[in-house]
Amino acid sequence: MSEVSFIGLGVMGFPMAKHLQESGYSTTVYNRTESKAQDWVSKYGGSMALTPATAAEGAEIVFICVGDDEDVRSVVYGENGVLAGMNSGSVLVDHTTASATVAKEIAEVASKQSVEFIDAPVSGGQAGAENGQLTVMWDGGDTHVFANVEPVISSYAKAVNLIGPVGSGQTTKMVNQICIAGLVQGLSEGLDFGRRAGLDMEKVLAAISQGASGSWQMSNRSETMLKREFDHGFALDWMRKDLNIVFDEAQRVGAELPVTAIVDEYYAELQNQGHGRWDTSSLIELLRDDSL
């Protein structure tokens, strides 16, 4: 495959599309804010389109990475949507963290024009996108399609995991966000406790990071949390959007999420303080006492 397109050049999509272009795939980009697409082309080459439909013309794979369900629908449907420009036999891959409902909806519509739809949300944040180290939760799909598309996705991913039928990728991302919420709150409490107890936290983290409490969050965010640095890309505004999707699905399947609900309230408190663009590790700020 040589012709691809990428729809959505946010903090994730901008570097993901870059990796595609630099890996030898002729990449056409579209972004709602045209200047960002122009900036991308000036840096990496490729080409830009003025609508999702024209971006999708001739592409063997169309990638989407936008904000939420309605953003996905806005770039997929209608005379300017990607489906209007896609050919029979092409593949539509949605990296947006959205609902399983919209994934199933689009898969049904796409199949009517012989376009394969894959819901494939990602994990790894801005750093993972920039370093080409994302984890992709692939909904399963046709194994032949996977064999063709996986090498392309590997341009920006370290792992692509086959999960199950359409919607499974999005539901797996929900599990991921539930786990992150609890992990970050636990890490925040542990770091704050150790700091208040007068421990040398560098030594503490060296001691525990390789044990049962170790996690990606501890390895990658503990030091910056202690330094009060919260500019690592995945804003808590977006986490709250994801958790709203989680709560809707939890209600549908009858799952109880008491810890996740509490952490969501903490994120809401930070939003109300004007910190919606801080990253998710900023939970520790609610525990801080500047007199210590």
Side-chain angles (χ1 to χ4, degrees):
M1 293 184 177
S2 58
E3 299 287 334
V4 303
S5 64
F6 205 102
I7 312 300
L9 299 175
V11 296
M12 301 293 288
F14 200 96
M16 291 164 74
K18 177 202 76 166
H19 286 298
L20 288 169
Q21 179 71 13
E22 292 182 346
S23 295
Y25 302 104
S26 179
T27 305
T28 299
V29 298
Y30 166 82
N31 194 71
R32 184 167 50 190
T33 303
E34 187 179 327
S35 59
K36 186 166 283 189
Q38 292 171 337
D39 182 37
W40 188 92
V41 171
S42 70
K43 288 179 177 178
Y44 307 121
S47 58
M48 62 171 284
L50 297 180
T51 69
T54 52
E57 290 175 359
E60 295 164 89
I61 310 173
V62 176
F63 298 96
I64 300 172
C65 191
V66 291
D68 56 22
D69 284 19
E70 291 310 308
D71 290 329
V72 173
R73 291 186 176 103
S74 73
V75 299
V76 170
Y77 298 142
E79 62 181 16
N80 290 321
V82 293
L83 287 178
M86 295 181 72
N87 297 323
S88 173
S90 57
V91 182
L92 177 58
V93 179
D94 184 17
H95 287 313
T96 308
T97 297
S99 70
T101 299
V102 78
K104 294 172 184 176
E105 170 196 313
I106 293 174
E108 183 176 352
V109 174
S111 69
K112 293 177 181 178
Q113 64 183 70
S114 299
V115 170
E116 185 78 23
F117 174 77
I118 304 297
D119 65 289
V122 300
S123 180
Q126 182 177 355
E130 291 173 349
N131 297 324
Q133 294 292 300
L134 292 171
T135 294
V136 179
M137 290 153 270
W138 181 284
D139 72 14
D142 186 289
T143 54
H144 175 69
V145 173
F146 177 79
N148 286 334
V149 178
E150 192 273 338
V152 184
I153 291 180
S154 292
S155 300
Y156 49 78
K158 65 179 180 181
V160 184
N161 299 280
L162 289 164
I163 307 296
V166 171
S168 298
Q170 294 296 350
T171 309
T172 300
K173 181 62 181 287
M174 295 177 207
V175 174
N176 185 77
Q177 302 307 71
I178 293 167
C179 293
I180 287 174
L183 280 170
V184 175
Q185 181 60 23
L187 179 59
S188 297
E189 293 179 13
L191 292 175
D192 188 70
F193 172 86
R195 183 180 66 85
R196 289 172 183 269
L199 295 173
D200 182 328
M201 292 308 296
E202 183 176 347
K203 292 180 179 178
V204 170
L205 289 166
I208 69 173
S209 61
Q210 302 304 311
S213 67
S215 67
W216 185 96
Q217 295 291 336
M218 181 179 289
S219 297
N220 290 274
R221 292 290 177 263
S222 56
E223 291 185 8
T224 53
M225 288 165 76
L226 290 167
K227 294 176 181 177
R228 308 179 79 174
E229 297 173 356
F230 307 118
D231 56 351
H232 299 288
F234 188 68
L236 65 88
D237 281 343
W238 290 110
M239 183 61 156
R240 290 213 71 214
K241 181 270 292 185
D242 291 357
L243 292 179
N244 283 332
I245 295 171
V246 167
F247 294 136
D248 287 344
E249 188 68 11
Q251 185 174 29
R252 191 185 73 80
V253 302
E256 297 291 332
L257 303 172
V259 173
T260 308
I262 292 171
V263 175
D264 183 58
E265 291 178 4
Y266 294 157
Y267 280 131
E269 185 174 345
L270 286 166
Q271 276 186 319
N272 291 336
Q273 294 176 8
H275 304 312
R277 298 308 301 169
W278 279 358
D279 71 68
T280 54
S281 69
S282 58
L283 282 173
I284 193 172
E285 283 296 284
L286 294 178
L287 302 170
R288 182 174 287 276
D289 180 347
D290 285 325
S291 67
L292 297 177

